[in-house]
Amino acid sequence: MPAADRASCYDTRMSILIQQCNVLDTDAPRAIAVDRAILIRGNRIAAIGAPDEVAPLAEPDALCLDGRNLLAIPGLISAHTHSPENYMRGATERMPLEPWLVWLYGTCG
């Protein structure tokens, strides 16, 4: 499909509100923030937070999605085998790379 056709397949002005989802957040306890809302405007994340704080920011015609029992994770570039490592990195205390690799794989790797 040509790029011009792909661009017309979606409206970048559209807003989407995902409610009651869990969000992978390295600053949250156990790296999961529960019962969060995510507001997306066009192709940008406009807000993430408590539903009562984020929902009023949504446009009246925003598409509302139920996020219960779902986990929102950040977009990962080249997310092949490193996806589990990214999750484990966020689930541990902030430590330098080398000690973290030893913690994750042991001394034999």
Side-chain angles (χ1 to χ4, degrees):
M1 177 183 293
D5 292 341
R6 282 196 308 269
S8 65
C9 289
Y10 61 93
D11 184 354
T12 58
R13 296 167 295 163
M14 180 181 192
S15 292
I16 300 171
L17 177 64
I18 305 170
Q19 299 184 53
Q20 297 179 317
C21 66
N22 298 317
V23 176
L24 183 63
D25 178 357
T26 58
D27 293 327
R30 300 185 58 118
I32 303 292
V34 297
D35 191 23
R36 300 284 97 180
I38 303 172
L39 176 60
I40 303 166
R41 287 194 183 116
N43 60 0
R44 302 275 186 211
I45 297 173
I48 299 175
D52 61 338
E53 296 172 357
V54 175
L57 303 175
E59 289 76 8
D61 62 344
L63 173 64
C64 293
L65 301 176
D66 184 356
R68 282 181 286 192
N69 300 315
L70 299 176
L71 175 66
I73 64 171
L76 304 173
I77 306 301
S78 187
H80 51 288
T81 60
H82 298 290
S83 295
E85 291 175 353
N86 284 322
Y87 174 75
M88 292 301 296
R89 181 83 174 162
T92 60
E93 294 294 322
R94 299 186 194 287
M95 59 175 73
L97 177 63
E98 290 78 12
W100 175 76
L101 288 170
V102 170
W103 175 86
L104 185 61
Y105 296 109
T107 56
C108 296

